Amino acid sequence: MILAGCNKHYKIRPPNFDSFNNHLIIQKMKNKETISVFQFNNRVLHMNLDDISHEESLAAPQGGGNSLNWVIGHMLVSRDDIFESIGMPRLCSAELTENYKRGSRNISPDNATNVKELIRMFDESQKPLVDKISELD
């Protein structure tokens, strides 16, 4: 069960879940497996989004849901939770966190961070995250 960075957002929790924190969950997984998951996420992000324009990233899917811009921003904000739980400084500004946190409204052109900037931030967070997880025992 991969819950790192998201435990406070789950509506259904395993027994005694509140006694855990993100750091302990990451430690329970082998470092190599955890790193593999983050590397896979990064590859999938690029496979699907490298050619998307900022305008395309703002389009919400028909029938409801959040735009790709919001999803990528939310991934960054969630990654910040992981950073904090393993003793690393947060990456996102308070404004970016407010715009993309769970429960926030879908992003609008007025307050959206450019999708290329979000992807750049995600990429820049990858190596420090992998390096820190490699150090955990």
Side-chain angles (χ1 to χ4, degrees):
M1 181 183 307
I2 299 170
L3 301 173
C6 298
N7 70 357
K8 64 185 168 213
H9 304 303
Y10 279 90
K11 292 181 180 175
I12 300 171
R13 298 176 185 218
N16 301 320
F17 187 81
D18 290 328
S19 65
F20 288 87
N21 65 36
N22 293 336
H23 183 76
L24 292 176
I25 292 169
I26 288 174
Q27 281 187 323
K28 288 186 183 283
M29 294 177 67
K30 294 181 191 257
N31 292 347
K32 185 176 179 180
E33 292 168 334
T34 303
I35 290 168
S36 178
V37 169
F38 284 113
Q39 289 172 332
F40 177 77
N41 288 344
N42 192 271
R43 279 193 308 275
V44 169
L45 182 125
H46 282 282
M47 286 172 35
N48 289 288
L49 302 176
D50 276 349
D51 295 330
I52 194 165
S53 71
H54 180 63
E55 292 74 24
E56 290 170 322
S57 81
L58 294 172
Q62 290 182 353
N66 292 310
S67 66
L68 286 172
N69 186 288
W70 186 90
V71 171
I72 299 164
H74 180 70
M75 289 169 63
L76 269 173
V77 170
S78 296
R79 186 168 273 203
D80 249 6
D81 292 339
I82 297 168
F83 269 50
E84 186 174 55
S85 74
I86 58 177
M88 297 177 68
R90 295 182 74 82
L91 304 169
C92 301
S93 68
E95 180 182 6
L96 193 138
T97 300
E98 189 63 29
N99 288 339
Y100 294 97
K101 69 182 181 183
R102 183 173 177 89
S104 63
R105 293 185 179 268
N106 195 12
I107 206 76
S108 71
D110 297 335
N111 63 352
T113 301
N114 187 286
V115 69
K116 298 300 180 190
E117 175 66 9
L118 293 173
I119 293 170
R120 183 196 64 74
M121 291 174 68
F122 193 85
D123 286 344
E124 286 183 2
S125 71
Q126 186 72 14
K127 183 174 179 355
L129 178 63
V130 167
D131 288 349
K132 181 65 174 185
I133 292 171
S134 296
E135 297 171 5
L136 299 175
D137 275 26

